[in-house]
Amino acid sequence: MALVPPVTPRRLEPGNLGLAAQDLLARGLPSSDVIEVAISPRPMTGGSKPMTPRPVVRGPPQDEEERLLVKELSKEEEDALMQAFAQHDKHKCGKLELHSFHELCHSLDLHLDAHIARDWLGDLNQVAEDGFSIEDVKGVYQGMLAAQTPAVRKSAGGHMLKLSDLRATEDYMRGAFKKFAPEGTVGPDGLRELLKSLGFPDVHGDLFDRFVGEWLLLAGKPDADQEPPLNVHDFISCVNLLVDLCRDHQLQEELKLVE
């Protein structure tokens, strides 16, 4: 359910969610993880060399055609996987335990939350106690990389992102929006469904209800009952904030594991 501020938010500079968040807090809106992420700078990962924006891994695509478009691993990607598998095969038995699989993904700069990991493992969840072979892991890794945006795939390979990579990722998201909304606009319910179909982590476990509600406030479109038409620019703004929120939650989960 969307939070309703005591005063209608001011019309601020379009796209400046940080200023909008500060304005809403000043007007009495309770703080939240979404509001805090809008204000805070993007977290970075030290696992990438050179340092790049921390990738957020999306789950398997719901579209069957997309699931079939699995691109073969490059030699560099396969070599990196083989090296990581050997490193995390602690018992040298040719199998990885579940926690070692998570560590392998982390070492490859693919940070999975528990729900996304289960979705990618699929039927392998039933044999987790027996461990995962290199072929098991390779199949999951190949599908995982194929479903990510160009920037995430390149970042997962430890490469510094260029402006062209970020543009390619935005083009990818624009294409997804156009396919979902051929008329060029969606309402809040459509936006939630689109985020779900793209496999983004649902960090609140409510099918993006709270996130979209708070993003609408930040975007200056607080009255969801009127179904404000949201265009592709709104969608890109929403996705950028969601990616930051997912990164923040992943970092918090990892801190809990080491405490």
Side-chain angles (χ1 to χ4, degrees):
M1 181 178 293
L3 297 175
V4 181
V7 182
T8 302
R10 295 174 180 148
R11 288 288 179 179
L12 300 171
E13 180 184 347
N16 196 327
L17 300 184
L19 286 178
Q22 292 174 351
D23 183 66
L24 288 170
L25 289 175
R27 289 166 171 262
L29 182 74
S31 185
S32 71
D33 53 352
V34 179
I35 298 295
E36 290 299 322
V37 166
I39 295 173
S40 304
R42 287 190 168 192
M44 306 292 281
T45 176
S48 299
K49 294 180 179 180
M51 184 173 283
T52 57
R54 179 187 179 94
V56 168
V57 177
R58 294 180 294 124
Q62 295 186 350
D63 186 276
E64 186 174 354
E65 292 183 7
E66 287 188 42
R67 288 200 298 269
L68 296 176
L69 296 176
V70 178
K71 181 180 177 182
E72 291 293 327
L73 297 177
S74 68
K75 184 179 185 306
E76 183 182 42
E77 290 168 341
E78 185 159 1
D79 288 346
L81 175 63
M82 297 296 290
Q83 182 178 352
F85 188 94
Q87 179 183 351
H88 292 89
D89 180 11
K90 299 174 182 177
H91 303 294
K92 305 305 176 187
C93 61
K95 296 270 189 173
L96 291 188
E97 298 173 337
L98 181 59
H99 69 87
S100 295
F101 169 77
H102 281 275
E103 291 174 355
L104 175 144
C105 291
H106 186 89
S107 72
L108 295 170
D109 223 359
L110 292 170
H111 308 273
L112 308 175
D113 70 16
H115 297 290
I116 295 296
R118 282 197 293 269
D119 288 344
W120 275 116
L121 287 169
D123 292 341
L124 291 175
N125 286 294
Q126 301 174 18
V127 296
E129 292 184 1
D130 299 327
F132 308 125
S133 69
I134 182 59
E135 291 304 317
D136 294 332
V137 174
K138 182 179 178 181
V140 173
Y141 183 64
Q142 188 170 312
M144 195 185 303
L145 285 186
Q148 306 313 312
T149 63
V152 168
R153 184 160 189 164
K154 189 169 183 179
S155 183
H159 298 286
M160 179 178 288
L161 299 182
K162 300 178 181 179
L163 183 58
S164 59
D165 300 314
L166 300 179
R167 285 175 175 166
T169 292
E170 184 168 323
D171 288 343
Y172 175 97
M173 287 297 169
R174 288 177 181 274
F177 183 88
K178 184 177 181 180
K179 183 177 181 180
F180 185 87
E183 296 182 0
T185 59
V186 296
D189 288 341
L191 179 59
R192 295 181 183 95
E193 186 60 34
L194 178 53
L195 295 176
K196 177 183 175 183
S197 71
L198 287 170
F200 281 104
D202 180 13
V203 297
H204 299 134
D206 60 0
L207 300 179
F208 303 101
D209 186 52
R210 181 160 76 85
F211 169 76
V212 168
E214 293 191 47
W215 173 80
L216 287 169
L217 291 178
L218 291 168
K221 301 180 180 184
D223 193 350
D225 293 334
Q226 294 182 5
E227 288 287 312
L230 305 170
N231 59 33
V232 66
H233 303 293
D234 296 320
F235 171 65
I236 296 298
S237 168
C238 179
V239 166
N240 285 339
L241 184 63
L242 179 57
V243 167
D244 289 345
L245 179 67
C246 292
R247 287 176 179 143
D248 188 69
H249 274 253
Q250 288 173 358
L251 287 168
Q252 290 181 28
E253 284 187 8
E254 289 167 15
L255 287 175
K256 291 178 182 177
L257 292 176
V258 299
E259 288 178 352

